[in-house]
Amino acid sequence: MMNSMDTTRKGNPRWLYCCARGFPFTSTPTSLLAGKEADGDDKHGRNTIMAASKPPSHQRKPGGWKSMPFILGNETFERLAVFGVLANFLVYLKREYHMDQVFATNLINMWSAVTNFAPLIGAFISDAYTGRFWAITVGSVASFLGILTMTLTAWIPSLRPPHCPVQQQAQCTRPNSIQLGVLIMGLGLLSIGTGGIRPCSIPFGVDQFDFTTEEGRRGINSYYNWYYTTFTLVVFLALTVVVYVQDSISWVLGFGIPAILMFGSIILFFLGTKFYVYLKPEGSIFSSIAQVFVAAYKKRHLELPNDSKVGVYYDPPLKGIVVSKLPLTNQFSFLNKAAIIVERELNPDGTPSNKWSLCSFQQIEEVKCLIKVLPIWASGIICFTAMVQQGTFVVSQALSMDRHLGPKFQIPPGSVSLISMIVVGIFVPIYDRILVPCLRRITKHEEGITLLQRMGIGLVFSVLSMVVAGLFERKRRALANSNHNAIAPMSVLWLSPQLILLGFAEAFNFIGQIEFYNQQFPENMRSIATSLFFCTISGANYLSSLVVSLVHGLTGRNGKPDWLTNDINQGRVDCFYYLLAGLGVINLVYFVLCARKYRYKSVEIEQGKPYIDLELNLVKH
């Protein structure tokens, strides 16, 4: 049984596009499905699902669209604050803090890694302890304080090193410990804000609608459209207007505008308090995962039964959120011991006396879904490593190229990544509406090609993008050195080929990842799917920082500068790109091996027969 919102998400190119840009999409919250619960096994032994019952009369009436301006406004301005900092941050660090290229790149990578990991922690805290409203509140205040701190670093001269011409950067004063500490504090506050707002804003907005009515379901679908429309608008504004203001007018104004908007969003969010529906935290799926491992460890000395006879394993009817019934499998069978019933583990009502000693079939199979996906998930890290270079070395390349577009206007270096975003925005609808139907007629597969094949194609584009980037960087460096000029007589638009290929890598691999994770997890674990995607981005940033540090430390011998020296014209960034391409080839081989061995989950549909998605048939044969 497929939730109607799942259908909406799958068919909405904007949802796919936003996922590819690294923005979280949270699955349907359990609060929406309150009252939906399994009715146990029917007379034929089938697991049946009851329709949603109406909310109890004592519940507060959902605020619906009355509360939307406050929630959407808050989320929109938070994204503008973070994107407004990240888009042009390398330029700020090099020009205003006189940081060398490697240190600035590693700082950005580490901050991005923490920021992308923060929503995972925020989701756990909000689900288990605080609830969504207070998580968003704390996150909003933290985001405002973070962007305010960044504004102060640009406004107050003592919070950054003395001004120094770019041409004399080698002799410029580096930031002291206090200046660096204030900068990192601002970035840390922005990460806390991201952890509070991003995992909660979508479900909190959805909570405001009554899912049991047709009007409420239409409102939810419309809310998604408005949500991602504002997202797209914010990214364009951040990469164009905000970056232009920072680059050409004033860093104070470039950071100050998002700060003022963020402060306004907090006021706006609190003005809507009388319209909101507040739901108590219902516990986190992470607790259920931990319970399986603890219970299996406690019972590690027990022998597994020969079959799953009633009374041997704990297999209660499904309750709460509607989920697909997962049958017990023999894969990772040591976890099955967590469901073995021993004496005094059941209460008179059939519930476990200790959830950390006895788990259900469903809990165990959910954990197995996570374990099986992890090898596939790991392959995305290197693919993302190529992607994160858009905010670092691609910007350095742009700074050393002719950025004029006409006699007066110069393209801000932080805006060049807009090219890959445009590619994704144009290609995804074409893929969804034109290519998929054509491929479906050839392959007879519902989605044209399998999700793992789609992810593999994205890996290929990722490798190609790094090869092309290396070739064009070699050409750019040669032109700059032959003309004895820091700026190569070469248009910045020559970066388009590598960025276009990165756009295709996003459209195939990143979107394929999101769909794959959502397909392989039951409905109540969809938040894990989103969390895995962001952990991929976080891991890629950490890996990129490690590779940059190793290359910086190991290259450059016998008086020659290292590949990533501060003067990009004296370095060999092209060799760095080739190194990433080589890692990508190894990663592609690893991915194919994992894909061939992957076993898809089985679910019990209403007829009681196992349904197995044999998506890999085309790969294996």
Side-chain angles (χ1 to χ4, degrees):
M1 178 178 183
M2 181 175 286
N3 187 285
S4 61
M5 283 191 295
D6 291 334
T7 305
T8 301
R9 292 195 299 263
K10 188 173 181 179
N12 191 340
R14 274 175 291 187
W15 172 77
L16 301 176
Y17 158 65
C18 293
C19 288
R21 296 303 307 177
F23 195 74
F25 185 92
T26 309
S27 59
T28 308
T30 57
S31 59
L32 288 176
L33 303 172
K36 287 186 176 185
E37 61 180 51
D39 194 34
D41 294 339
D42 65 8
K43 63 182 180 180
H44 299 292
R46 298 191 299 261
N47 182 267
T48 57
I49 304 297
M50 295 296 292
S53 59
K54 291 188 177 182
S57 58
H58 67 271
Q59 286 187 348
R60 184 174 178 179
K61 184 178 179 181
W65 281 107
K66 292 181 181 179
S67 57
M68 285 306 101
F70 311 105
I71 298 173
L72 285 173
N74 174 265
E75 168 69 20
T76 299
F77 294 134
E78 182 273 336
R79 286 174 295 186
L80 185 61
V82 174
F83 279 112
V85 171
L86 182 61
N88 213 28
F89 197 41
L90 182 72
V91 178
Y92 182 65
L93 295 179
K94 294 182 72 172
R95 287 181 179 175
E96 304 299 325
Y97 278 78
H98 318 312
M99 292 184 184
D100 63 68
Q101 184 164 255
V102 171
F103 187 85
T105 298
N106 284 338
L107 179 61
I108 292 173
N109 285 331
M110 296 301 288
W111 174 53
S112 298
V114 171
T115 301
N116 282 295
F117 189 76
L120 183 66
I121 300 174
F124 172 76
I125 294 174
S126 65
D127 288 347
Y129 301 107
T130 65
R132 293 169 186 134
F133 174 80
W134 286 110
I136 294 175
T137 299
V138 173
S140 299
V141 174
S143 287
F144 169 68
L145 294 176
I147 192 63
L148 179 62
T149 303
M150 298 302 300
T151 305
L152 292 176
T153 64
W155 190 12
I156 302 176
S158 61
L159 293 180
R160 64 183 187 277
H163 176 72
C164 180
V166 178
Q167 295 80 4
Q168 303 175 10
Q169 192 171 18
Q171 292 78 39
C172 294
T173 304
R174 298 291 188 262
N176 58 40
S177 57
I178 295 177
Q179 294 167 340
L180 196 58
V182 172
L183 179 70
I184 293 175
M185 181 182 70
L187 297 177
L189 288 168
L190 285 173
S191 296
I192 294 173
T194 298
I197 296 176
R198 293 193 182 181
C200 300
S201 57
I202 290 181
F204 187 66
V206 173
D207 286 344
Q208 311 309 312
F209 296 94
D210 184 358
F211 184 75
T212 63
T213 66
E214 182 64 29
E215 180 184 1
R217 289 190 289 272
R218 286 198 302 266
I220 290 170
N221 292 337
S222 183
Y223 168 63
Y224 285 137
N225 291 334
W226 277 102
Y227 189 91
Y228 294 121
T229 298
T230 60
F231 166 81
T232 305
L233 179 62
V234 162
V235 174
F236 271 102
L237 286 175
L239 292 177
T240 53
V241 177
V242 175
V243 169
Y244 178 78
V245 171
Q246 293 171 347
D247 196 62
S248 304
I249 300 177
S250 166
W251 286 103
V252 177
L253 192 61
F255 289 146
I257 292 174
I260 294 171
L261 293 176
M262 192 66 224
F263 179 76
S265 77
I266 296 175
I267 303 299
L268 190 66
F269 185 68
F270 278 103
L271 288 176
T273 52
K274 64 180 180 180
F275 299 111
Y276 300 148
V277 172
Y278 305 91
L279 299 174
K280 295 181 179 180
E282 300 175 346
S284 173
I285 188 65
F286 297 105
S287 299
S288 176
I289 294 172
Q291 287 166 1
V292 171
F293 285 108
V294 171
Y297 178 78
K298 287 181 177 180
K299 297 178 178 179
R300 63 191 182 279
H301 300 302
L302 297 180
E303 293 291 333
L304 286 172
N306 294 326
D307 53 34
S308 55
K309 293 180 180 178
V310 177
V312 176
Y313 285 119
Y314 180 57
D315 186 24
L318 300 179
K319 293 185 178 181
I321 186 172
V322 177
V323 293
S324 304
K325 178 68 173 178
L326 301 175
L328 191 67
T329 63
N330 291 325
Q331 194 173 19
F332 308 113
S333 59
F334 65 94
L335 293 175
N336 295 355
K337 295 180 180 181
I340 298 177
I341 302 173
V342 300
E343 189 177 359
R344 296 180 182 178
E345 281 195 332
L346 289 178
N347 295 320
D349 61 356
T351 59
S353 58
N354 184 354
K355 293 182 179 180
W356 294 89
S357 297
L358 181 64
C359 302
S360 66
F361 279 0
Q362 187 74 10
Q363 287 178 274
I364 294 170
E365 289 303 316
E366 287 170 357
V367 173
K368 290 180 182 179
C369 287
L370 177 61
I371 294 174
K372 290 190 299 183
V373 161
L374 287 179
I376 299 293
W377 164 81
S379 69
I381 293 177
I382 291 182
C383 184
F384 264 106
T385 302
M387 178 67 191
V388 299
Q389 306 313 317
Q390 287 189 88
T392 54
F393 293 109
V394 171
V395 175
S396 293
Q397 288 178 284
L399 285 168
S400 303
M401 300 176 74
D402 180 7
R403 295 183 284 115
H404 283 89
L405 198 64
K408 296 183 178 180
F409 179 75
Q410 284 196 86
I411 300 174
S415 297
V416 293
S417 61
L418 195 65
I419 295 172
S420 64
M421 177 179 157
I422 293 173
V423 171
V424 176
I426 293 174
F427 178 72
V428 168
I430 293 175
Y431 177 84
D432 186 60
R433 301 301 179 185
I434 299 176
L435 293 182
V436 168
C438 293
L439 291 170
R440 187 182 295 133
R441 287 193 292 268
I442 298 172
T443 63
K444 309 302 180 185
H445 192 278
E446 181 183 357
E447 296 174 346
I449 58 176
T450 71
L451 290 177
L452 287 175
Q453 287 174 332
R454 180 174 183 173
M455 291 165 64
I457 293 172
L459 293 178
V460 173
F461 275 114
S462 175
V463 173
L464 291 176
S465 69
M466 291 296 96
V467 172
V468 171
L471 293 174
F472 278 97
E473 168 58 17
R474 185 177 180 180
K475 178 67 173 177
R476 187 211 62 78
R477 178 176 175 271
L479 285 173
N481 290 331
S482 63
N483 285 271
H484 305 288
N485 195 334
I487 306 299
M490 183 180 184
S491 172
V492 73
L493 295 180
W494 280 104
L495 295 176
S496 297
Q498 68 194 62
L499 293 172
I500 289 172
L501 290 170
L502 278 175
F504 284 123
E506 289 185 63
F508 280 99
N509 186 270
F510 304 166
I511 297 176
Q513 281 191 58
I514 288 288
E515 287 199 72
F516 176 75
Y517 299 148
N518 277 273
Q519 186 183 92
Q520 290 305 296
F521 289 136
E523 289 86 339
N524 62 322
M525 292 186 71
R526 296 284 164 82
S527 59
I528 299 290
T530 304
S531 299
L532 278 178
F533 183 74
F534 283 95
C535 286
T536 303
I537 304 175
S538 181
N541 281 285
Y542 282 124
L543 178 61
S544 179
S545 180
L546 175 63
V547 173
V548 167
S549 297
L550 289 175
V551 169
H552 180 60
L554 298 177
T555 59
R557 303 290 177 87
N558 302 321
K560 294 182 179 180
D562 65 88
W563 290 358
L564 305 178
T565 188
N566 203 45
D567 185 351
I568 191 173
N569 293 329
Q570 298 301 315
R572 294 301 303 270
V573 176
D574 55 332
C575 294
F576 175 72
Y577 284 144
Y578 294 144
L579 174 63
L580 292 182
L583 292 174
V585 172
I586 297 172
N587 184 57
L588 180 61
V589 175
Y590 163 79
F591 171 80
V592 172
L593 293 175
C594 291
R596 291 178 64 87
K597 293 180 179 297
Y598 185 80
R599 292 172 59 183
Y600 281 77
K601 75 170 184 179
S602 299
V603 298
E604 290 183 358
I605 56 177
E606 192 168 293
Q607 287 73 21
K609 300 177 182 179
Y611 167 72
I612 302 176
D613 186 352
L614 296 177
E615 194 178 84
L616 263 185
N617 278 352
L618 295 176
V619 175
K620 292 182 178 180
H621 304 292

